[in-house]
Amino acid sequence: MRSATRTFAALFVAAFVHVRPAHADAGTASLRTRFGIGAAETLGASDSLAERLRGLERLGAVGTPRAVQRLVRALEPGGSAKAPEERLVAVRQLSLHADDPSARRALARVLAGHFAPSTDALSALDDLAERTAALALSRSEQPDALTALGKALESPGRAAAAAEAALVAHPPRDLDAVLAAARLPSLSLAHALDELADQRGFDTLRDVVRLGTPDVRAAAAIALTRLGDFETVELSRQWLVPGAPAVLRVAAARILAMAHAQGAARAIGALLRDPATADAALDLALEAPNPALVPELSHLLRDGAGDRAEDVVVAIGRAGGDGAVRQLTPLLDDAALAPAAAYELARMPGDAAARAIEALLLRPSTQRLAARAATARAFLLDDAPPRLESTLDAMYRSRDAADRAVAAVGLSVLDPDRVLSFVRSADEAVVRAAASCLLLAPKETAAYVAERLLGSARGDTQTALALSLAVPGASEHATTGTLLALVDSGGAAAPLAALALGERDRPTERPRLDELLASSDPAIRAHVALGLAASKESDAAGRLEAAYRLETNATVRAAIVHALAARTEPSRARVLALAAAFDPDPDVRASALMTTGGHATFALARGRALAWIPVVESASGRPAEATVGVEEPGGLLLPAASAPDGVVMVSGLAPGPVVLRVAPARDPGNASKER
């Protein structure tokens, strides 16, 4: 089985790029080409999809005009590329030969959607093919290719979005062909010129501001402002008149904020008072914090902000100042908004916020929440209230499990050396809480947890302790049986366990690893790929490249690229080059471009960020005990268990936004019991 896997991977790798031997004579090259096309045609006639894909890849590797024509014909209506997998592979191979006019014409037809049998049921692979075709056209910089992209920008839809993204990914040296073809003002054209930030689009944007529909004019004016044309400031004031289209009034406020012009806060405040523009204005308040907005935001909160009430609280916190502290402090008595208000006070610089938190520590009704806020403030700003440690010591002796959990987290943050004693406690509430601080603790603590505690723990306590697997080197101490059990559980710890299994990649676990690499769960696929970066097996790179081949999930493709970057096999360069040029996801392209010989672009990065997430039952809104996965920037999914009062707090994360996955708690254990 292993040799068969290696053979398939080797054929797949060889098909990406054909490198002609430096000293081959014309006769040898011609013979190789003739047999290469013949072999490709034989493979293309096979009943096996895998062999047909290899045939298409071989045509791309041969790369002669005859081979390119075979690929072009495969993508024609009624051509041999009937399955989405075949169409994607054919497009990728043609992308390598976009210097050929016939290849560019075929790619333009793909971009226009003239290749899939039913655009109403476009598969994820066909969508990838369309966006890959657009990238290849833009990268070629040929006038006919740029004309095709310009025409695609004219009408809303998939083609316009693909053309916009492609032009931003591979900015052409000459925009004239694009601008000449894009005669109709469109949102995609305005957005593309905005993201390109290219002065050559200045005149076109000025025309669009005069001639487009309101939404297009708004986008073009914002783009001009970003280019440094502050004539738009005066224009924006004209758009702020009552009765003007909402999209123009929102754009006007944004332009004033971008230009730091007088009246920006007043314009956003007026939008906050109008139900038709309140959502957009709140987004602006979050992007451009201003203490002058606090009164209007507070009015919005009192009048009822609906499902965006927490966003209003965040906007008040970001605005900052003594006024924000005065508005946030009373919210700590509001069950629904208290966690958001406490977190904003925790991260708000200044003495006013610090004094407010310290005062709340003295109130029994707000002490637990204030203790969390003070702990977060100590971690984020290194500004712990003087009475925090004594308060936490008292809470640790409480009969309330939720108080003990808060105390375990707080004391661990103040002194990470204490994590070890807490995770060895017989108190499940304390164990689960302290486990959320394992990223801060000495590496020896994580290794101890992985070796001595993880295998014997059960249910949600085991899930919480599995965070130890994210500490570099700790997973080596966990048994394979424990890791397999975590994966089989399907819980929040399964992805990290899959990563650890990928790292050890032993022959005895190979069938299971290959099964996980093809899992229906993208998180499992991504983490196995990340683990294979450290595999000692010689065919790991080939297996990663094979996994990239038809992967539709961008997070998984990014994980594969990260893993390949850490490998040393020369063959990895082929997929990294393909991803850098033609992957439709900008993060995947960026990761591939940043790779250097033998250096991984992914690591179990730790930082000074903190996740504070209340978990509630969807029906009742009551706090819920649950196991959760906190997905960091880059896709690493970290397991945690909520405290008895339904709050998850994980410290030591990499900076950036996080995504939460929630699963119901299966084993609350002592966490919900009183002592």
Side-chain angles (χ1 to χ4, degrees), residues 113 115 178 180 252 269 284 308 333 369 535 553 659 662:
F115 76 118
V178 175
L284 276 175
R308 298 209 65 185
D333 291 317
L369 192 61
S535 169
N553 185 280
V659 178
V662 182

Side-chain angles (χ1 to χ4, degrees), residues 484-548:
L484 287 170
L486 286 170
V487 169
D488 289 338
S489 74
L496 264 189
L499 189 155
L501 286 170
E503 288 177 331
R504 51 188 64 178
D505 189 21
R506 295 167 182 163
T508 51
E509 280 83 47
R510 174 61 61 84
R512 186 62 197 280
L513 270 182
D514 287 340
E515 178 187 321
L516 294 175
L517 198 55
S519 167
S520 60
D521 185 346
I524 296 293
R525 298 200 303 274
H527 285 70
V528 172
L530 290 171
L532 287 175
S535 169
K536 293 180 172 61
E537 295 294 315
S538 59
D539 66 343
R543 290 158 65 212
L544 287 166
E545 293 176 69
Y548 180 88

Side-chain angles (χ1 to χ4, degrees), residues 70 123 245 343 364 369 404 422 474 518 631 653:
R70 295 286 195 279
S123 74
Y343 181 68
L369 192 61
R404 300 195 302 273
F422 289 140
E631 184 178 318
L653 303 178

Side-chain angles (χ1 to χ4, degrees), residues 77-258:
S80 61
K82 300 187 186 307
E85 294 88 345
E86 293 171 285
R87 293 191 286 270
L88 174 59
V89 170
V91 166
R92 279 182 177 157
Q93 296 308 312
L94 274 182
S95 296
L96 298 171
H97 303 288
D99 55 337
D100 186 308
S102 64
R104 294 197 298 275
R105 289 192 293 272
L107 292 169
R109 289 195 297 272
V110 170
L111 175 61
H114 298 157
F115 76 118
S118 172
T119 53
D120 292 333
L122 195 74
S123 74
L125 291 171
D126 282 326
D127 179 61
L128 270 178
E130 284 188 6
R131 292 187 287 155
T132 300
L135 287 163
L137 291 170
S138 187
R139 191 169 182 266
S140 76
E141 297 201 272
Q142 295 298 319
D144 57 341
L146 298 179
T147 296
L149 292 169
K151 289 180 179 177
L153 289 173
E154 289 188 320
S155 302
R158 291 192 321 272
E164 176 190 332
L167 290 166
V168 173
H170 298 301
R173 284 169 292 187
D174 184 4
L175 272 176
D176 290 346
V178 175
L179 298 177
R183 294 183 297 273
L184 299 177
S186 69
L187 267 179
S188 289
L189 174 62
H191 288 158
L193 293 176
D194 187 5
E195 292 189 71
L196 284 170
D198 192 320
Q199 291 290 340
R200 292 171 297 175
F202 187 88
D203 291 338
T204 298
L205 285 169
R206 293 191 75 177
D207 291 341
V208 172
V209 167
R210 292 194 298 269
L211 303 173
T213 57
D215 57 341
V216 176
R217 292 169 63 200
I222 291 169
L224 281 172
T225 308
R226 223 181 302 275
L227 282 174
D229 179 16
F230 290 109
E231 292 179 4
T232 56
V233 171
E234 187 54 40
L235 175 64
S236 68
R237 298 191 194 282
Q238 299 174 24
W239 288 351
L240 286 171
V241 297
V247 68
L248 293 182
R249 288 186 285 126
V250 171
R254 181 178 295 277
I255 289 168
L256 292 176
M258 289 169 63

